[in-house]
Amino acid sequence: PSTCRIWGDPHFETFDHAFVNNFAEGEFWIVRSKMVYIQGRYLATPYTNGLSATHAIAVGGPFLLGHTIVVGPMDNGQILVDGQPACSGFPSSMDIAGVATLRYDNQGTVVDAAQAHLDKHIVHLDLPLDTHMEVMRWANHINVRITMTPRVGGQSGDCGTFDGNPDDDTTGNAVYGSECLFHHMTPVRPSPEHDIEECIRNDATKYHMALRTCRATDEDAKNKHSAKYGCIFDVCFAGPQYAAQDAAM
């Protein structure tokens, strides 16, 4: 098995350990395979200057035998099982028709170390096919850890192809129409047209602050698959909250 981590606005460390980003709004495939469907809803927050963060995650597909699970943030989201509120108490747990179990508590480690001092609200999902998820619910967004084995027949999505080759992992795998596991679709809005070269040209002081904050180099800023690229981008464009999270990764 391997783990995909999702944090911030949103950044991904894929199953094959590539570092990729998706700053657009809308619903996107995180894992798409014959049996396992995992989708993310990415929306802008008051803290990201128009860039998206992961607002909710939805799980479904044949491996859940028709059931769906949706987890959103604390302030404007819910935990839903088959469209109905679930685990309204804290801590709490439930069995989903003998297919999966859901546990909601403050146990476990968070994806981003910058939030380790905050009160934790973590949803643990034990799913079929040795698939396990932890969803950290914060005020306006969620962070996610997905652990699974490569799916027979291949897979795609923002967590990558899980084929042992990090170079073929990309984001932007939009969900369309009847594929959507959420109850409604969000219009896909392309990500703001920013790049780090713009930051260098327009605000060199902020760029150099980004390098210091992220403990990064000019080479990191040129490589979109660098673990530090997302942090530099966030210091330049997304605001201090997500920059602080990235710097702690």
Side-chain angles (χ1 to χ4, degrees):
S2 186
T3 296
C4 176
R5 298 185 302 155
I6 307 168
W7 74 96
D9 49 330
H11 309 300
F12 302 82
E13 181 183 6
T14 69
F15 293 116
D16 289 328
H17 306 296
F19 290 89
V20 294
N21 309 286
N22 187 347
F23 303 120
E25 284 190 304
E27 281 75 42
F28 293 86
W29 286 100
I30 292 176
V31 174
R32 184 179 192 178
S33 73
K34 183 177 179 180
M35 296 293 291
V36 179
Y37 302 169
I38 304 176
Q39 299 173 358
R41 170 171 286 159
Y42 310 151
L43 299 177
T45 79
Y47 309 103
T48 50
N49 295 331
L51 302 177
S52 66
T54 308
H55 182 266
I57 195 162
V59 188
F63 86 137
L64 284 188
L65 303 181
H67 298 285
T68 59
I69 305 167
V70 176
V71 181
M74 297 293 294
D75 285 357
N76 56 352
Q78 293 179 290
I79 302 170
L80 301 174
V81 174
D82 297 333
Q84 300 301 312
C87 287
S88 54
F90 184 84
S92 59
S93 62
M94 71 175 295
D95 177 84
I96 303 173
V99 176
T101 59
L102 188 158
R103 178 166 51 89
Y104 182 35
D105 56 33
N106 63 357
Q107 302 301 303
T109 59
V110 298
V111 168
D112 48 22
Q115 294 177 309
H117 65 288
L118 300 175
D119 291 339
K120 293 181 290 189
H121 295 80
I122 302 179
V123 178
H124 309 262
L125 301 175
D126 291 321
L127 307 167
L129 302 179
D130 291 324
T131 302
H132 307 279
M133 295 175 57
E134 296 168 286
V135 184
M136 296 104 221
R137 304 181 73 205
W138 305 110
N140 295 286
H141 75 291
I142 59 171
N143 293 335
V144 183
R145 182 185 291 115
I146 305 169
T147 302
M148 63 186 297
T149 55
R151 300 312 316 142
V152 175
Q155 64 193 71
S156 59
D158 286 352
C159 275
T161 55
F162 208 173
D163 61 358
N165 178 15
D167 293 334
D168 64 6
D169 290 344
T170 60
T171 60
N173 304 273
V175 173
Y176 295 103
S178 61
E179 300 174 334
C180 188
L181 297 175
F182 297 97
H183 282 204
H184 65 276
M185 294 283 291
T186 301
V188 174
R189 184 181 67 84
S191 58
E193 295 295 327
H194 295 308
D195 60 47
I196 291 176
E197 287 295 325
E198 175 189 341
C199 186
I200 296 171
R201 291 192 306 271
N202 297 341
D203 196 337
T205 299
K206 181 175 282 189
Y207 171 70
H208 288 292
M209 181 181 72
L211 295 184
R212 292 193 302 272
T213 300
C214 301
R215 300 183 294 278
T217 67
D218 288 322
E219 290 304 310
D220 291 317
K222 296 174 184 176
N223 179 9
K224 290 188 176 182
H225 295 291
S226 163
K228 301 291 186 181
Y229 182 90
C231 179
I232 299 167
F233 190 98
D234 282 354
V235 174
C236 284
F237 301 111
Q241 175 177 344
Y242 290 99
Q245 293 176 23
D246 294 339
M249 295 298 289

